[in-house]
Amino acid sequence: QVQLLESGGGLVQAGGSLRLSCAASGSFVALNAMGWYRQAPGKQRELVATITSGGNTNYADSVKGRFTISRDNAKNTVYLQMNSLKPEDTAVYYCNADYRRSWLFDSTAAAWGQGTQVTVSS
């Protein structure tokens, strides 16, 4: 139904920056909340940041002040600007989107990206 394609991951030194992008495509009439999650080695997947369709944002305490989530509704794309990166930010980052499938039905669903690796060296 909906596919999320991520890009922008890579290897950076501590203190550096990366910008992740996630573009949604497929069958949907509206994207609701979107967000970024990450899973570090040996740890469970955790919420990084979310943004509603109206632009309200929420961040994990560990990234507050360093990361910024944004979206371009015209492009069906969500971004994660990551500054002042730390080695503990190393993880696979996953894009998430809640979407409405049809205006005729009160039906929502969730989609996940394939993940993109972010590695921060010390």
Side-chain angles (χ1 to χ4, degrees), residues 4 6 20 22 35-40 45-46 48-49 80 91-97 111-117:
L4 301 179
E6 300 159 323
L20 306 183
C22 173
W36 290 93
Y37 294 71
R38 68 186 182 187
Q39 187 165 19
R45 188 175 65 180
E46 65 175 346
V48 177
L80 185 67
V92 177
Y93 283 71
Y94 298 92
C95 177
N96 165 262
W112 290 89
Q114 75 283 359
T116 183
Q117 176 70 233

Side-chain angles (χ1 to χ4, degrees), residues 43-103:
K43 301 185 69 176
Q44 293 186 349
R45 188 175 65 180
E46 65 175 346
L47 176 69
V48 177
T50 60
I51 183 168
T52 68
S53 60
N56 293 323
T57 60
N58 186 50
Y59 298 91
D61 288 340
S62 59
V63 307
K64 197 171 301 181
R66 300 186 298 118
F67 291 10
T68 302
I69 189 171
S70 61
R71 64 191 291 167
D72 187 334
N73 291 329
K75 296 181 179 180
N76 296 322
T77 300
V78 63
Y79 306 94
L80 185 67
Q81 178 66 48
M82 304 184 293
N83 297 328
S84 302
L85 283 163
K86 305 175 181 179
E88 49 262 46
D89 295 319
T90 296
V92 177
Y93 283 71
Y94 298 92
C95 177
N96 165 262
D98 296 326
Y99 63 95
R100 192 182 187 102
R101 297 192 283 196
S102 173
W103 293 121

